[in-house]
Amino acid sequence: MQIADNHVVTIHYTVKTTDGDEIDSSSGQDALSFIQGSHYMIAGLEEALYDKKSGDEFTVTITPDKAYGDRNDNLVQEVPLSMFEGMEVDVGMSFRATTDHGEQSVIIIDKSDDAITVDGNHPLAGQTLVFDVNIEDVRGATDDEISHGHVHGKGGCSH
Ligand SMILES: [Zn+2]
């Protein structure tokens, strides 16, 4: 069966930077299942999956515009440490914050005596990603799956 919209696609994948550094992989975990066309996956990967079929293996290089977007320098902001009274804050911590761009996940990238610098960009923003993909299974989605917008396990909907 060839992949088209409203098919349930199950893949194993490894994603690397263009330098070959591994970012993430489903190896050793359950394969990932999703509904093609639901935008669960980044656009570049959905595009590459159309018309492929179960058993296919391929590598695709995806530029930021089809992945997590370009970095936005406006999402890097300095925040006075006094706002974190009594809290331990350090470089590398992430938390939800209300910013000029709404609620989003930010990570602390710098700390000085009286301020921290937070970055609200997606960690993979601005990165070109190289995906190695193994297609494990392709099947038509059920009507329930299509109307819910997610894949159901053997026991049906779990929520
Ligand atoms: Zn459901």
Side-chain angles (χ1 to χ4, degrees):
M1 182 178 276
Q2 284 188 314
I3 296 174
D5 283 342
N6 292 331
H7 284 46
V8 173
V9 181
T10 301
I11 62 169
H12 271 295
Y13 67 93
T14 298
V15 55
K16 299 175 188 157
T17 67
T18 49
D19 293 332
D21 295 326
E22 187 173 311
I23 296 168
D24 190 21
S25 175
S26 64
S27 175
Q29 305 174 47
D30 287 341
L32 181 68
S33 294
F34 55 91
I35 299 176
Q36 174 79 353
S38 67
H39 306 301
Y40 177 82
M41 301 302 287
I42 57 174
L45 195 54
E46 277 203 343
E47 281 178 16
L49 283 165
Y50 282 112
D51 298 330
K52 301 252 184 345
K53 57 190 190 309
S54 183
D56 282 356
E57 297 182 21
F58 65 95
T59 297
V60 59
T61 298
I62 302 173
T63 50
D65 59 310
K66 298 274 174 77
Y68 294 97
D70 289 319
R71 282 188 55 82
N72 178 354
D73 289 338
N74 292 328
L75 296 180
V76 177
Q77 290 174 319
E78 202 166 80
V79 183
L81 258 185
S82 56
M83 279 183 61
F84 295 88
E85 213 172 329
M87 270 177 67
E88 234 7 88
V89 289
D90 223 333
V91 173
M93 283 177 53
S94 62
F95 54 93
R96 304 287 298 173
T98 305
T99 71
D100 298 345
H101 303 271
E103 168 125 338
Q104 61 191 167
S105 184
V106 301
I107 185 166
I108 300 174
I109 58 169
D110 199 17
K111 184 182 179 186
S112 67
D113 286 344
D114 55 2
I116 59 166
T117 306
V118 298
D119 185 353
N121 285 287
H122 188 283
L124 296 177
Q127 289 229 43
T128 295
L129 304 173
V130 182
F131 275 84
D132 291 323
V133 179
N134 278 351
I135 301 174
E136 304 280 311
D137 190 51
V138 181
R139 65 169 171 84
T142 64
D143 290 344
D144 274 355
E145 287 174 324
I146 292 168
S147 68
H148 291 193
H150 58 232
V151 176
H152 289 168
K154 288 195 173 58
C157 196
S158 60
H159 56 86

